Amino acid sequence: MKNLLTLLILTLSAGASFGQFDDKFYFPEKKWEAIKNLDYTEVTIPVEAEKLNGIFVKPAGTPKATIFYLHGGGGNVSTYVDLVRPLVKDGFQVFMIDFRGYGKSTGKPNHLNVGSDGQVVFDWLLKRKEVQLQPIILYGVSLGTPIATKLAHDNTPKVAALVLDGTISSFGELAAFYVPEEQKAMVSQFVTSPYMAKEDIKTVKIPKLFIATKTDKVVPYGQTEIVYDNAPQPKELLIFEGEHIRSMMVQPEKTVEAVNRLLTNN
């Protein structure tokens, strides 16, 4: 996110005209980290001329549900596995996807293709034998939250619950957070949001869990408040003390318990 701040300030200072800033939100990492002590299977999903890489992380025994995990703007699936270990240990099957340009996936990400690819992957996921007849939970973190919310909005009957961790209300509002006060209005105007969690959430009536820290330095807590306030019941807000999207690291048991409650409230 610091890269986004630098880009916007330099562009404004130079007086350059604004174009699409979509790709400046995404910082893919191609190098995979070693995935240790987890049972996982890699899959490849063709999308248009590209290939998306994903992994199924499997628990011991029969899964209680499948979590479709949409990671943030940096890294790749291998850099997020520690954040899903508590879920796998508790009996959830977790499917993680790398969008275009991340990890072993080809192409280049932007808001439109990440959003449309999310639907393609979700449709593909529904056809998998290891997913059928199980509840599906959409789980978005950081830049994955607008995608998860859009998928929940567009596919509500097929989704059991929604988890949003470090919620972004809109791409424009996130960009505005990183610039001086006198430039916020301009940035909000020119950084487009083809879909917005704060709007899509209004019709999502399945159980929802919002996870946030009030000291978040990457995505301001106020953005979680906006989306949470717009969300209909049932919903729960889980506050933790720590850094951006680190609830599973600092309070894993409490966070997993909250995810489990989504299934009992369905």
Side-chain angles (χ1 to χ4, degrees):
M1 293 302 175
K2 290 182 179 178
N3 292 339
L4 174 62
L5 169 62
T6 302
L7 171 73
L8 292 173
I9 290 177
L10 288 176
T11 304
L12 285 165
S13 298
S17 61
F18 278 85
Q20 283 290 343
F21 279 102
D22 294 13
D23 59 337
K24 303 304 186 292
F25 284 78
Y26 303 96
F27 307 101
E29 174 59 56
K30 301 301 294 184
K31 183 180 178 180
W32 259 42
E33 294 183 1
I35 300 177
K36 299 179 180 179
N37 302 318
L38 284 175
D39 180 12
Y40 72 95
T41 301
E42 286 189 57
V43 296
T44 301
I45 305 171
V47 180
E48 297 178 343
E50 308 299 345
K51 294 182 178 179
L52 305 184
N53 181 259
I55 60 173
F56 277 99
V57 188
K58 303 175 182 179
T62 303
K64 66 176 72 176
T66 295
I67 291 176
F68 182 9
Y69 190 91
L70 300 152
H71 67 65
N76 57 52
V77 293
S78 72
T79 67
Y80 285 81
V81 291
D82 285 342
L83 300 182
V84 305
R85 286 182 187 274
L87 293 165
V88 177
K89 183 179 179 181
D90 195 65
F92 289 96
Q93 173 176 246
V94 180
F95 176 67
M96 310 174 75
I97 189 69
D98 270 331
F99 287 109
R100 303 188 192 199
Y102 287 83
K104 300 177 184 180
S105 297
T106 63
K108 184 178 181 180
N110 60 53
H111 295 334
L112 288 177
N113 66 38
V114 168
S116 61
D117 289 354
Q119 185 63 57
V120 172
V121 174
F122 182 76
D123 292 340
W124 174 91
L125 189 62
L126 291 177
K127 298 175 183 178
R128 299 283 296 193
K129 290 183 179 180
E130 63 266 62
V131 174
Q132 293 174 349
L133 303 180
Q134 293 180 2
I136 296 180
I137 299 174
L138 293 171
Y139 197 126
V141 298
S142 196
L143 273 173
T145 59
I147 315 302
T149 308
K150 176 175 170 54
L151 287 173
H153 172 271
D154 293 344
N155 303 274
T156 296
K158 303 173 184 178
V159 180
L162 172 66
V163 181
L164 300 177
D165 186 352
T167 308
I168 294 171
S169 55
S170 76
F171 299 112
E173 289 173 345
L174 176 62
F177 168 67
Y178 279 98
V179 298
E181 188 66 34
E182 64 272 14
Q183 298 171 348
K184 291 185 184 298
M186 184 182 295
V187 170
S188 296
Q189 178 183 354
F190 286 101
V191 177
T192 59
S193 297
Y195 42 89
M196 294 181 284
K198 68 177 184 179
E199 297 299 327
D200 287 336
I201 199 67
K202 292 179 179 179
T203 60
V204 178
K205 297 181 180 180
I206 56 177
K208 296 166 290 295
L209 171 64
F210 293 80
I211 304 172
T213 172
K214 293 184 178 180
T215 57
D216 198 325
K217 296 181 180 179
V218 178
V219 179
Y221 173 70
Q223 295 202 15
T224 293
E225 288 187 308
I226 291 171
V227 183
Y228 179 82
D229 289 345
N230 284 352
Q233 294 288 352
K235 59 185 177 180
E236 178 181 351
L237 177 59
L238 177 64
I239 303 295
F240 72 98
E241 294 184 4
E243 298 178 358
H244 182 61
I245 67 169
R246 287 297 183 268
S247 181
M248 279 292 180
M249 304 295 288
V250 301
Q251 53 177 39
E253 292 183 1
K254 188 174 182 179
T255 306
V256 171
E257 286 175 2
V259 175
N260 276 305
R261 282 196 294 273
L262 294 171
L263 296 176
T264 59
N265 291 334
N266 203 304

